[in-house]
Amino acid sequence: MPEAGDRGAARARWLGTGLLGLFLLPVSLSLEVSVGKATTIYAVNGTEILLPCTFSSCFGFQDLHFWWSYNISDTYRILIDGTVKNEKSDPKVKFKNDDRITLEGSTKEKMNNISILLRNLEFSDTGKYTCHVQNPKENNFQHQATIFLQVVDKLEEVDNTVTLIILGVVGGVIGLLILILLVKKFIAFIIKKTQEKKKECLVSSSGNDNTENGLPGSKAEEKPPTKV
């Protein structure tokens, strides 16, 4: 009997977990935040950089809350904080701790862009920048995406020599294949024409032989009558 009770309790726990998962699944699949495909971006000291961030929600949003945070080693701080009332309004900044930062995004026309621009970069700006979004319309579900900014003295030029060599080899191989196909078609055309000429010669030669031998249907039958 105790074993039956344990099995019943285990089934109840699994059932409860399954129901909770089904309840949270639509929420977890709805709100999405993206900072682009690149996980690391580079910028030169003293310039400016756009930190991209867009979000999407299958259920729409109302009084959406967003903020950007900076994190490196033991340092963590909120850079900018704001809200978006609905899909027809632009985001409003409520807090900003750095005058070099401006909100460049727009949420109108389903752009859902809350990117920020960071001016007058310094080497100390190197670190992780995370875009957070919280949607009250989805039970305050929160999602975030992180991008790493590396401030450098100058951008290194990428050596494309190997790439150019590979492209040159591939292009040469493709060109050679095309040339081989063209030569093959030309040879096939010449062979076809030669065979047609041989066939014409055979037909012409056969006609001449019939004429000379006086075979029926040839001109040898057209002899004038002999006078007596």
Side-chain angles (χ1 to χ4, degrees):
M1 294 298 293
E3 293 182 358
D6 292 340
R7 286 197 295 269
R11 291 196 191 96
R13 285 195 297 270
W14 281 108
L15 180 60
T17 304
L19 292 175
L20 180 62
L22 290 175
F23 174 76
L24 294 176
L25 182 61
V27 176
S28 62
L29 295 177
S30 58
L31 183 62
E32 293 290 338
V33 180
S34 173
V35 290
K37 295 182 179 180
T39 56
T40 302
I41 55 177
Y42 298 87
V44 178
N45 182 42
T47 62
E48 61 184 29
I49 187 70
L50 180 70
L51 301 177
C53 181
T54 58
F55 67 90
S56 61
S57 175
C58 298
F59 301 105
F61 59 89
Q62 186 76 28
D63 296 326
L64 182 135
H65 180 209
F66 71 91
W67 67 98
W68 278 86
S69 64
Y70 168 80
N71 182 26
I72 186 71
S73 298
D74 296 331
T75 304
Y76 178 87
R77 64 176 182 270
I78 302 297
L79 301 175
I80 191 171
D81 188 290
T83 58
V84 187
K85 187 174 182 180
N86 51 47
E87 290 91 341
K88 297 181 180 180
S89 60
D90 274 329
K92 291 184 178 181
V93 177
K94 292 186 175 182
F95 168 79
K96 184 174 65 171
N97 76 344
D98 195 329
D99 293 334
R100 300 177 301 151
I101 298 175
T102 56
L103 182 66
E104 296 293 319
S106 174
T107 51
K108 290 183 178 179
E109 298 179 357
K110 298 182 179 181
M111 293 180 65
N112 296 345
N113 190 336
I114 47 176
S115 304
I116 59 174
L117 182 68
L118 181 58
R119 296 185 175 89
N120 300 323
L121 288 172
E122 303 173 356
F123 291 111
S124 59
D125 291 323
T126 296
K128 295 179 181 179
Y129 291 79
T130 304
C131 178
H132 308 259
V133 177
Q134 186 177 34
N135 189 9
K137 200 171 181 179
E138 300 179 48
N139 297 322
N140 285 321
F141 182 74
Q142 178 186 331
H143 199 263
Q144 65 276 332
T146 301
I147 190 169
F148 188 86
L149 171 64
Q150 179 70 53
V151 181
V152 296
D153 185 35
K154 64 178 181 179
L155 295 176
E156 297 181 359
E157 295 183 1
V158 180
D159 187 3
N160 294 325
T161 303
V162 176
T163 303
L164 293 175
I165 292 175
I166 294 174
L167 291 176
V169 172
V170 173
V173 171
I174 293 175
L176 180 61
L177 290 175
I178 293 175
L179 179 61
I180 292 174
L181 290 175
L182 291 176
V183 171
K184 184 178 179 181
K185 287 187 176 182
F186 179 74
I187 293 175
F189 175 78
I190 296 298
I191 293 174
K192 182 179 179 182
K193 288 296 183 181
T194 303
Q195 290 177 346
E196 290 178 353
K197 287 183 178 180
K198 286 183 177 180
K199 188 181 293 184
E200 290 177 357
C201 290
L202 290 174
V203 172
S204 176
S205 175
S206 176
N208 292 335
D209 292 343
N210 291 338
T211 302
E212 293 174 357
N213 296 330
L215 296 176
S218 66
K219 293 182 180 179
E221 294 179 346
E222 299 176 0
K223 292 182 180 180
T226 304
K227 293 182 180 180
V228 179

